[in-house]
Amino acid sequence: MDEITVKALAKINLGLDVLRRREDGYHEVKMIMQTIHLYDQLFLEKTESGISLETNLKFLPTNPGNLAYRAAALLQEEFHLKEGVHIRLQKRIPVAAGMAGGSTDAAGVLYGMNQMFHLGMSRKDLMERGVKLGADVPYCLMRGTALAEGIGEKLTSLPPMVKCPVVIAKPQISVSTKYVYEHLVLNENTKHPDIDQLISDIKAKDLDAIASHMGNVLESVTIDKYPEIAKIKDVLLENEAKNAMMSGSGPTVFALYDEEEKARRAVERLRETGLAKQVFVTDIYNNRR
């Protein structure tokens, strides 16, 4: 096998809670991660030596500043690969958007190189290497519906989320995850989502209950700094969304719908407002690797 094409799928957080700040500076989280059918495409090809990376977005790094490049370097070094790899990355997932775009690209490279170079690693083996690149990479290798704890690396598979249309909307802004966590206030007044109840709703496949119990504790920071996020949520809620919420540290907003036609009407209305730079209609994706 001299080449392989891999779909690197995005994620949303159906629920995101931060429990505490640890002594090492990281935050203890409790999140429900969900794959959606929005993806980047990775085209991997064997070369004589080295690593090269090209993308369709000129502002993205094509060196070790890109997680996809670092994923290739990790495997090349560990397995003493004499041959190299050229990676062509076609980005569709919004960048710096709270959707694990960089992490899923890294996961896709790990998966693709494992296949192409016949490295013989299991998914567990790949996930152990993925965490060296970032806390979201193991989940992006696993995919589906999962509870993430610790700093996001402790994963528990959950029953598949009910299938439904999903609207994705990213405003012009980009958000620093570091800024959001540094400015998060955790005290007796913090409103925490009920993640355990959300898990019960997912098991019951009750879309209305899932929507009503969604919550993201980071919205308190990001929306305060970027009020356009709240405006996007309002437009989606006014246009028949079951609920709308920010994914990750933002600024992307997603909304769950019970009918694709409603989702498409909401997208048209949102585009008319000019609030979001990138808007998609996609759906829940439950297949695991």
Side-chain angles (χ1 to χ4, degrees):
M1 185 186 293
D2 291 328
E3 58 185 46
I4 189 170
T5 301
V6 180
K7 289 181 179 180
L9 282 86
K11 66 85 182 167
I12 54 175
N13 297 96
L14 297 171
L16 195 164
D17 196 12
V18 180
L19 307 180
R20 66 183 182 92
R21 183 184 173 93
R22 305 193 321 187
E23 291 179 3
D24 61 8
Y26 287 98
H27 287 77
E28 198 84 19
V29 297
K30 191 172 184 180
M31 310 183 289
I32 305 293
M33 312 277 271
Q34 177 60 53
T35 313
I36 57 172
H37 215 161
L38 175 66
Y39 57 87
D40 295 339
Q41 275 199 301
L42 290 155
F43 304 91
L44 278 64
E45 184 179 1
K46 282 183 183 177
T47 60
E48 288 187 9
S49 63
I51 299 166
S52 56
L53 171 64
E54 63 173 304
T55 83
N56 60 316
L57 300 180
K58 292 182 179 178
F59 62 85
L60 286 180
T62 55
N63 54 32
N66 191 306
L67 277 178
Y69 187 106
R70 283 161 55 192
L74 186 151
L75 294 187
Q76 192 177 58
E77 182 178 345
E78 178 182 351
F79 289 92
H80 308 289
L81 300 177
K82 293 180 180 178
E83 292 175 297
V85 61
H86 176 69
I87 304 163
R88 183 159 58 89
L89 170 57
Q90 188 77 18
K91 288 292 294 182
R92 291 184 69 242
I93 301 169
V95 177
M99 303 183 73
S103 295
T104 195
D105 294 340
V109 170
L110 293 177
Y111 175 84
M113 286 184 66
N114 185 47
Q115 298 291 314
M116 193 166 65
F117 288 95
H118 306 289
L119 302 180
M121 286 186 287
S122 65
R123 188 177 70 186
K124 182 182 177 185
D125 294 332
L126 291 170
M127 289 168 68
E128 287 172 355
R129 285 152 180 83
V131 76
K132 298 175 184 177
L133 299 166
D136 282 345
V137 178
Y139 167 73
C140 293
L141 283 158
M142 185 170 114
R143 306 201 299 204
T145 313
L147 170 66
E149 297 175 285
I151 62 169
E153 87 289 5
K154 296 177 183 175
L155 298 169
T156 305
S157 295
L158 295 174
M161 163 73 179
V162 61
K163 290 277 283 184
C164 67
V166 182
V167 171
I168 301 294
K170 181 186 182 286
Q172 181 73 36
I173 57 174
S174 294
V175 172
S176 162
T177 299
K178 183 181 178 185
Y179 172 90
V180 174
Y181 276 95
E182 284 178 349
H183 289 79
L184 178 66
V185 176
L186 296 174
N187 58 29
E188 64 276 5
N189 297 317
T190 304
K191 187 177 180 182
H192 294 275
D194 189 341
I195 301 297
D196 292 334
Q197 180 59 55
L198 193 51
I199 291 171
S200 297
D201 300 335
I202 289 169
K203 290 178 178 177
K205 297 197 179 299
D206 186 335
L207 182 59
D208 287 329
I210 291 165
S212 68
H213 291 120
M214 291 189 331
N216 183 344
V217 75
L218 300 180
E219 283 191 339
S220 61
V221 179
T222 313
I223 289 178
D224 186 57
K225 185 171 176 62
Y226 301 105
E228 53 263 58
I229 295 171
K231 293 177 183 177
I232 291 172
K233 287 179 63 175
D234 288 343
V235 171
L236 294 169
L237 290 168
E238 289 163 6
N239 285 272
E240 301 186 86
K242 290 290 183 181
N243 203 352
M245 192 175 83
M246 187 179 80
S247 183
S249 56
T252 299
V253 174
F254 72 91
L256 304 184
Y257 282 82
D258 57 2
E259 294 178 17
E260 186 173 340
E261 186 178 339
K262 293 178 183 177
R264 296 200 176 278
R265 283 201 300 265
V267 162
E268 291 306 311
R269 177 69 191 107
L270 190 57
R271 284 179 175 149
E272 289 170 7
T273 69
L275 286 167
K277 180 185 178 185
Q278 294 169 280
V279 187
F280 306 91
V281 178
T282 182
D283 60 8
I284 296 294
Y285 184 92
N286 281 318
N287 292 351
R288 301 201 185 279
R289 286 208 191 269

